[in-house]
């Protein structure tokens, strides 16, 4: 499976961005059966799971992004989205997506992330 995130860029604090992540080399049924997550790696920090969406559509968010970020998925297109509103400088980082195992680990090889830079 190959993962490709896109949609990042430079944005002023308070602005929005919408990220997309495409999964190729997999089937609709395999993609749809996996929980998917968006991860963020801030400069000098470890990669962290920011939000996830289950195969059934249930979502989870870390406290720092609750009310500002929305994850969604389009199983027919093997896509995962991240709508980010009211962005803050601390949201800066490289955003990547991956499937999540039942143990909370990333399932597939990491693909190319997309850089989000929020200026104050």
């Amino acid at each position: 499976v190959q993962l490709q995130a896109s949609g990042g860029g430079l944005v002023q604090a308070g602005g929005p961005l919408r990220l997309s992540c495409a999964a190729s080399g997999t089937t609709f049924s395999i993609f749809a059966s996996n929980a998917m997550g968006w991860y963020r790696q801030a400069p000098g920090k470890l990669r962290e799971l920011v939000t996830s969406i289950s195969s059934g559509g249930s979502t989870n968010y870390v406290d720092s992004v609750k009310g500002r970020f929305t994850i969604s998925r389009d199983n027919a297109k093997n896509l995962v989205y991240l709508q980010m509103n009211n962005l803050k400088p601390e949201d800066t980082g490289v955003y990547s997506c991956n499937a999540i195992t039942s143990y909370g680990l990333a399932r597939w090889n990491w693909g190319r992330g997309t850089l989000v830079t929020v200026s104050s």
Side-chain angles (χ1 to χ4, degrees):
V1 178
Q2 292 79 46
L3 298 166
Q4 176 77 53
S6 61
L10 175 63
V11 62
Q12 286 189 332
L17 273 179
R18 188 185 192 224
L19 307 183
S20 300
C21 181
S24 59
T26 185
T27 64
F28 157 81
S29 59
I30 290 175
F31 180 84
S33 68
N34 274 278
M36 295 295 299
W38 278 98
Y39 296 76
R40 175 174 66 200
Q41 185 165 20
K45 296 187 178 181
L46 297 175
R47 183 186 285 133
E48 64 168 338
L49 178 63
V50 173
T51 177
S52 63
I53 183 168
S54 71
S55 58
S58 298
T59 58
N60 282 290
Y61 301 89
V62 295
D63 288 345
S64 62
V65 307
K66 282 182 180 177
R68 300 188 297 119
F69 289 13
T70 302
I71 187 173
S72 60
R73 64 191 301 166
D74 184 340
N75 291 332
K77 298 179 180 179
N78 286 7
L79 288 169
V80 183
Y81 301 103
L82 182 63
Q83 177 66 45
M84 305 185 294
N85 297 325
N86 191 21
L87 281 161
K88 302 177 179 181
E90 52 263 42
D91 295 320
T92 294
V94 176
Y95 286 73
S96 306
C97 77
N98 211 318
I100 306 171
T101 71
S102 56
Y103 297 100
L105 302 175
R107 181 181 295 278
W108 298 323
N109 291 331
W110 291 102
R112 179 175 296 182
T114 187
L115 175 63
V116 173
T117 304
V118 184
S119 63
S120 58

